[in-house]
Amino acid sequence: MTVTLLVPGALRAESGGEGRLTLEACGTLAAVLDELAEHRPRLERRIRDERGELRRYVNVYIDGENCRALGGQSALVADGAEIQVLPSVAGG
């Protein structure tokens, strides 16, 4: 069972420059992020804080749906799902 994590340009330094990561995990978003922590801990730390909660200014979408509307880290992630991470970007 695999899912695809889409990594934005702002976080690609933590993904080895890759824009798409394939992870061998599904079930819940928390399980996927735990798997990410095993292979790309710096990237996972940009998504979750030191308490393991999703960072306030990071949006995570599962197949186009905001994970917060689906139950946060308890949101179900099916085999073959696409997860997109979008950090807020400040500008001026």
Side-chain angles (χ1 to χ4, degrees), residues 2-85:
T2 63
V3 299
T4 301
L5 181 74
L6 302 177
V7 182
L11 298 179
R12 288 192 187 155
E14 285 81 10
S15 70
E18 296 183 49
R20 299 173 78 83
L21 299 174
T22 300
L23 300 170
E24 300 293 326
C26 60
T28 64
L29 180 58
V32 171
L33 294 177
D34 289 345
E35 179 70 14
L36 179 63
E38 290 287 320
H39 302 285
R40 305 279 186 181
R42 289 180 43 180
L43 178 56
E44 183 268 342
R45 298 298 295 158
R46 296 285 303 270
I47 300 169
R48 293 195 287 193
D49 64 20
E50 59 280 345
R51 294 173 295 150
E53 300 295 326
L54 291 174
R55 292 191 180 275
R56 182 175 175 185
Y57 297 108
V58 174
N59 293 308
V60 179
Y61 295 87
I62 302 168
D63 289 329
E65 296 288 327
N66 190 322
C67 77
R68 288 181 172 91
L70 300 172
Q73 291 192 71
S74 299
L76 297 178
V77 178
D79 183 31
E82 189 172 83
I83 299 172
Q84 185 174 20
V85 177

